[in-house]
Amino acid sequence: MDENLKIELGKQGIVVTTLQELYNWGRRSSVWPMNFGLACCAIEMIATTMARYDLARFGAEVFRPSPRQADLMIISGTVTKKMAPQVVRLYNQMAEPRYVIAMGACAISGGPFKQGYNVLKGIDRYIPVDVHIPGCPPRPEALLQAFIALQKKIDGQHLTGEDRPRFLDAEAQGEFPVPEQGEHDLVPTSNKGVWPIKIQGLGTRD
Amino acid sequence: MSSSPYFSLAVLFVAALAFGLGPLGLAWLWARFYSPRKPNPTKNSIYECGLVSKGDAWVRFRPAYYLYAIIFLIFDVEAVFLLPFAVAFSGLSAAACIAMLVFVLLLVEGLAWAWAKGILTWA
């Protein structure tokens, strides 16, 4: 539907919408994050949910203690190689559609502990990440902005067509392989399906 | 038929059923078309905080645990009464002392009974 026509009708007091818009509005207004923190970033995440920053304004105050009821996984902190399989398994256990916010330098790249033998250099090696937030730790405002960015992403998802998201594609796999502890590193060291990340217009990043 | 006194009740009953079942049916239809199922062994396994689950979720708890917990609870509450009793002890009348003694002895008798029954032995 034409945007201008919709605005004109809105001025006359007529609300026009589509099923897709309604569906996405409902989904983005009730994203339930998983009750799950990994390191210091989790303290900022907790602060974001409290009265001062109030994540509840965006409909995401219901932190669920079980992956079965959660839509959003906030990777808040350093992912060690000991913890990575658990994180990937929890992601697998979440019901679709599911989203991931990688919060802080550690979650997106290993951060200040990148040289550590025991630290995973970014969780996006194993699971698809929707929003990355830099910062060490990011302030609650940054998490709020990431959340708004995620809401915009959900708003733009199509129900049908070639560019529909993975969870609507019956052919797409829902399982992301859980890495195992090898002799020197996690096996495999990354999931070839999601890593390296494909950035449009830039080819692949290593 | 509409003259029956129960007619409005029947209408309300049908409306109530539709109110409950309608959204459920819509959700079912929506899931059928727009929410393809993607089950896999990891997703279907028993939730254990991200670790590989061991065994079944339907484990048994021994009833001995509950008896133990109840006895603990009773003496926990008794301690709450004993503290003000001890603080006010020097100023208490004989009747108050006897009342407290009865209370404590009743609980001691209960403890002796539980001990004789072997509840305190964790086997």
Side-chain angles (χ1 to χ4, degrees):
Chain A
M1 174 154 203
D2 185 33
E3 271 310 303
N4 289 326
L5 179 62
K6 200 189 279 182
I7 292 165
E8 275 307 310
L9 282 170
K11 282 176 189 163
Q12 304 299 319
I14 300 166
V15 180
V16 192
T17 187
T18 58
L19 207 56
Q20 178 180 302
E21 272 178 27
L22 264 181
Y23 179 53
N24 286 342
W25 169 76
R27 285 198 308 134
R28 80 165 149 80
S29 311
S30 62
V31 176
W32 289 4
M34 193 155 84
N35 201 342
F36 161 76
L38 285 176
C40 10
C41 280
I43 303 295
E44 299 295 315
M45 178 182 75
I46 295 161
T48 315
T49 63
M50 291 295 138
R52 191 180 173 99
Y53 299 100
D54 202 8
L55 194 60
R57 289 178 292 165
F58 306 96
E61 74 276 26
V62 198
F63 274 67
R64 305 310 296 187
S66 162
R68 319 285 191 205
Q69 303 164 347
D71 310 305
L72 169 65
M73 187 183 223
I74 302 174
I75 313 280
S76 51
T78 320
V79 187
T80 58
K81 285 178 182 169
K82 193 88 173 174
M83 192 63 192
Q86 274 71 259
V87 174
V88 179
R89 194 172 290 114
L90 283 175
Y91 177 75
N92 274 316
Q93 289 180 343
M94 284 163 72
E96 309 240 17
R98 53 198 174 192
Y99 300 94
V100 179
I101 290 178
M103 180 184 183
C106 295
I108 65 181
S109 69
F113 313 113
K114 190 176 169 64
Q115 310 297 333
Y117 67 93
N118 61 333
V119 172
L120 186 70
K121 278 83 186 162
I123 191 62
D124 42 11
R125 279 159 199 260
Y126 291 110
I127 55 179
V129 175
D130 295 284
V131 185
H132 297 77
I133 332 172
C136 188
R139 288 199 43 89
E141 289 94 334
L143 182 58
L144 287 181
Q145 200 202 359
F147 189 75
I148 294 167
L150 178 70
Q151 285 189 320
K152 280 185 184 149
K153 180 173 181 167
I154 295 174
D155 246 347
Q157 290 187 327
H158 298 291
L159 276 180
T160 49
E162 275 306 300
D163 58 344
R164 66 190 189 282
R166 190 184 51 80
F167 74 92
L168 288 171
D169 188 355
E171 303 300 313
Q173 274 294 311
E175 188 170 22
F176 290 78
V178 180
E180 280 171 22
Q181 307 289 349
E183 199 178 345
H184 300 296
D185 203 348
L186 288 171
V187 181
T189 53
S190 66
N191 178 357
K192 295 283 175 280
V194 296
W195 184 265
I197 295 175
K198 291 165 195 72
I199 299 172
Q200 280 177 346
L202 283 176
T204 55
R205 180 161 70 89
D206 211 17
Chain B
M1 184 187 165
S2 58
S3 60
S4 163
Y6 292 110
F7 180 70
S8 58
L9 217 63
V11 169
L12 277 177
F13 180 71
V14 171
L17 265 187
F19 189 76
L21 294 179
L24 282 179
L26 280 176
W28 181 80
L29 273 179
W30 185 274
R32 219 181 130 75
F33 290 109
Y34 290 115
S35 179
R37 293 160 62 87
K38 296 184 197 298
N40 60 62
T42 316
K43 197 180 207 172
N44 296 344
S45 65
I46 295 157
Y47 171 54
E48 205 161 300
C49 305
L51 298 168
V52 181
S53 37
K54 285 188 187 130
D56 202 8
W58 291 83
V59 291
R60 289 182 194 162
F61 287 96
R62 291 165 53 80
Y65 170 79
Y66 296 101
L67 291 173
Y68 213 83
I70 285 171
I71 291 171
F72 165 77
L73 197 72
I74 288 168
F75 284 92
D76 206 32
V77 175
E78 187 195 7
V80 176
F81 286 109
L82 278 180
L83 192 70
F85 173 64
V87 170
F89 186 70
S90 53
L92 281 183
S93 65
C97 275
I98 290 170
M100 197 62 199
L101 209 66
V102 168
F103 170 66
V104 172
L105 283 179
L106 268 176
L107 290 182
V108 168
E109 188 204 342
L111 182 65
W113 176 83
W115 200 339
K117 278 277 181 183
I119 289 167
L120 299 185
T121 318
W122 193 267

